Amino acid sequence: MRETDFVGGFAKGLKVIEAFGEAQPRLTISEVARATGLDRATARRCLLTLSELGYAHFDGKFFELTPRILRLGHAYLSATPLPRLVQPHLDRLSEAVGQSASASVLDGTDIVYVARAAQKRVMSISLVPGSRLPAYCASMGRVLLASLPEAEARARIMATDRKANTEHTRTDPDELMAELVRVRSQGFAVIDQELEIGLRSIAVPLEDARGRVVAALNVGAPAAAVPVEEMTSRFLPAMREVQAALRSLLQ
Amino acid sequence: MRETDFVGGFAKGLKVIEAFGEAQPRLTISEVARATGLDRATARRCLLTLSELGYAHFDGKFFELTPRILRLGHAYLSATPLPRLVQPHLDRLSEAVGQSASASVLDGTDIVYVARAAQKRVMSISLVPGSRLPAYCASMGRVLLASLPEAEARARIMATDRKANTEHTRTDPDELMAELVRVRSQGFAVIDQELEIGLRSIAVPLEDARGRVVAALNVGAPAAAVPVEEMTSRFLPAMREVQAALRSLLQ
């Protein structure tokens, strides 16, 4: 790519949008400059542009994003067949097993939820399309990492801040790589309270018609209600059906 | 705002993202130029920038958005307290009435879903945070339009392509304005198959601690299962409770 083909102002503006988040819902110009590494004048112009276009609100001191920002994510969600194809299957699966079912894809070192059918809330955080979790400690993340060439999977694991969320979280790169080998050979991943105490989940890869892994599917359940064995004995057969049904739908 | 404060490349890039959608998941440079009104060279540079940053994938002919785009919408969803505050209430409400419950805000002539708790699928389309519906024919839209000054509400109705989705859809501006007066005085809106045959819904405004309408809450139900009277007799009291609980939480 030639440098003249790169719209610098666009790239900087996208950085500014991503500076907002749970810990920083309202930001001043200086705070955005600090978070993005942009100079103050550039941060200011990007923020004023967002505000002029209705993507942000400015009260004279603080900027905050408006719901118009959702148009951008929606452009992906509505353009991509995966969420629409997978949603009815998640609805049925979730109802059949009485637990939440989700689909996600890999983005760097994270998984990104693209569809979800929730039964009662199990996790402490709210998961919606667009929500992100670190791949190394999520069942769908393990399945998606296992689908990559080994060097690539290791590189992503090394690039992750591998936090021990609980006493069960596996954080050692070699141990995680060994787990990926196991996941690849058995065709599913089970996480037992590695992300959050009280949460178990099981994931399988979703392949397209050509056998390429394009997403992962999971079922999450409260550890208190569902013993580990039941994750594979009861949920896995139902998940295999979804996997088979989607293989022919995903091109 | 001074012209020098506007980052033209950023504004154009955002337009390019929004050019993608359900009907146009994969676009060529020329198609993006046509959809956005940008010249071909500008469209090309914006697309290459998206692709360079990992927000789009280019196969040599077509561009498509990648899940990384969801980071942008997620910046809003995670930064805004509303979705997080409202979600547990939607979950409980949805379970209590056995129907889907949602919250949305107004963006121009559309409502935008910011949170949802779904029971069985009622609508033919899949609604997730970020999904949009025209305000004039949605129960939450009626409630949100009714909260605006009259001239403003009329302007938004006039700016809408008021399609008769079904034989029940109200499309006449004066009739819609009269309905808004009714909605304002009774404090709720009921839609009976105006959006889609077989779908009824009821909405109430969500006010913050200072009495400003900041969002709308609705319950949708299959017309075959729930008579119109039941929408108000059974759902409304439960919705009023959520309304009261959120009034003190929303600042």
Side-chain angles (χ1 to χ4, degrees):
Chain A
M1 180 174 183
R2 287 174 307 174
E3 214 178 303
T4 51
D5 284 339
F6 194 71
V7 186
F10 183 22
K12 287 168 193 160
L14 294 173
K15 253 189 167 174
V16 166
I17 294 176
E18 290 194 8
F20 291 86
E22 196 159 344
Q24 24 317 95
R26 303 166 75 236
L27 293 173
T28 63
I29 292 169
S30 309
E31 286 166 344
V32 168
R34 209 173 311 132
T36 56
L38 298 172
D39 62 65
R40 209 180 166 284
T42 307
R44 177 175 169 278
R45 288 192 302 129
C46 287
L47 286 165
L48 288 175
T49 303
L50 281 175
S51 151
E52 174 74 15
L53 298 171
Y55 291 103
H57 173 75
F58 182 42
D59 68 5
K61 180 167 187 209
F62 289 102
F63 288 85
E64 54 188 340
L65 300 178
T66 69
R68 181 167 299 225
I69 281 287
L70 288 172
R71 291 189 185 195
L72 305 173
H74 192 60
Y76 166 77
L77 283 176
S78 64
T80 310
L82 179 67
R84 271 174 297 139
L85 290 174
V86 98
Q87 187 66 54
H89 293 275
L90 292 186
D91 291 344
R92 278 194 295 272
L93 174 63
S94 171
E95 213 188 315
V97 301
Q99 304 292 348
S100 298
S102 309
S104 71
V105 295
L106 205 56
D107 176 21
T109 60
D110 289 346
I111 58 167
V112 184
Y113 282 73
V114 295
R116 182 167 164 86
Q119 298 289 326
K120 280 197 200 152
R121 181 71 56 85
V122 181
M123 283 188 70
S124 60
I125 59 165
S126 161
L127 293 167
V128 295
S131 294
R132 312 176 73 85
L133 287 177
Y136 77 100
C137 61
S139 62
M140 292 192 282
R142 296 258 170 94
V143 153
L144 292 168
L145 288 172
S147 75
L148 299 175
E150 204 178 309
E152 177 63 31
R154 184 178 282 274
R156 299 214 192 187
I157 284 174
M158 297 310 289
T160 309
D161 165 31
R162 297 177 305 282
K163 211 175 49 170
N165 303 300
T166 75
E167 55 184 317
H168 307 291
T169 315
R170 277 174 261 194
T171 59
D172 177 69
D174 292 326
E175 206 190 327
L176 284 165
M177 288 305 292
E179 177 63 17
L180 294 191
V181 172
R182 197 157 36 237
V183 166
R184 202 176 301 116
S185 80
Q186 71 194 14
F188 64 88
V190 171
I191 293 277
D192 187 8
Q193 310 182 73
E194 290 190 56
L195 188 59
E196 205 175 284
I197 288 294
L199 175 75
R200 292 197 171 114
S201 81
I202 177 168
V204 297
L206 292 177
E207 294 174 357
D208 67 10
R210 283 182 275 179
R212 292 174 306 192
V213 174
V214 293
L217 162 77
N218 95 336
V219 169
V226 182
V228 176
E229 316 78 68
E230 212 179 305
M231 301 295 291
T232 45
S233 67
R234 195 158 73 85
F235 300 159
L236 192 55
M239 295 170 75
R240 291 285 189 217
E241 282 176 36
V242 175
Q243 206 181 19
L246 282 166
R247 194 172 289 128
S248 55
L249 291 175
L250 296 167
Q251 294 303 322
Chain B
M1 182 174 182
R2 288 173 306 173
E3 215 178 304
T4 51
D5 284 340
F6 194 72
V7 185
F10 184 21
K12 287 167 192 161
L14 293 173
K15 255 190 166 174
V16 166
I17 295 176
E18 290 195 8
F20 290 86
E22 196 160 344
Q24 37 295 111
R26 302 167 75 237
L27 294 172
T28 63
I29 292 168
S30 310
E31 286 165 344
V32 168
R34 210 174 310 132
T36 56
L38 298 172
D39 62 65
R40 209 180 166 286
T42 307
R44 176 174 170 278
R45 287 191 303 129
C46 287
L47 286 165
L48 288 175
T49 302
L50 281 175
S51 152
E52 174 73 16
L53 297 171
Y55 291 102
H57 173 75
F58 182 43
D59 68 6
K61 178 166 188 210
F62 289 101
F63 288 86
E64 55 188 340
L65 300 178
T66 69
R68 180 166 299 225
I69 282 287
L70 288 173
R71 290 188 186 196
L72 306 174
H74 192 58
Y76 166 78
L77 283 177
S78 64
T80 311
L82 180 67
R84 271 174 297 139
L85 290 175
V86 99
Q87 187 68 53
H89 292 275
L90 292 185
D91 291 344
R92 277 195 295 272
L93 174 63
S94 170
E95 212 187 316
V97 301
Q99 304 291 348
S100 298
S102 308
S104 71
V105 295
L106 205 56
D107 175 22
T109 60
D110 289 346
I111 58 166
V112 184
Y113 282 74
V114 295
R116 183 168 164 82
Q119 299 288 327
K120 280 196 197 153
R121 181 72 55 85
V122 180
M123 284 190 68
S124 60
I125 59 165
S126 162
L127 292 168
V128 294
S131 294
R132 312 176 72 84
L133 287 176
Y136 78 100
C137 61
S139 61
M140 291 191 283
R142 296 260 171 92
V143 152
L144 293 169
L145 288 172
S147 75
L148 299 176
E150 204 180 309
E152 178 63 31
R154 184 178 283 271
R156 299 214 191 187
I157 285 173
M158 298 309 292
T160 310
D161 165 31
R162 297 178 304 283
K163 212 175 50 172
N165 303 301
T166 75
E167 54 184 318
H168 307 291
T169 315
R170 278 173 263 196
T171 59
D172 177 68
D174 292 327
E175 206 189 326
L176 284 165
M177 287 305 294
E179 177 64 16
L180 295 191
V181 172
R182 200 160 31 240
V183 166
R184 203 176 302 117
S185 81
Q186 71 192 12
F188 64 87
V190 171
I191 292 277
D192 187 7
Q193 309 183 73
E194 290 190 55
L195 189 61
E196 204 175 283
I197 288 293
L199 175 74
R200 292 198 173 113
S201 81
I202 177 167
V204 298
L206 291 177
E207 293 173 356
D208 67 11
R210 283 182 275 178
R212 293 173 305 191
V213 173
V214 294
L217 163 76
N218 94 337
V219 169
V226 182
V228 177
E229 316 78 68
E230 211 178 306
M231 302 295 291
T232 45
S233 66
R234 194 157 73 85
F235 299 160
L236 192 56
M239 295 170 76
R240 291 284 189 216
E241 282 176 37
V242 175
Q243 206 181 20
L246 282 167
R247 194 172 289 128
S248 55
L249 290 176
L250 296 168
Q251 296 302 324

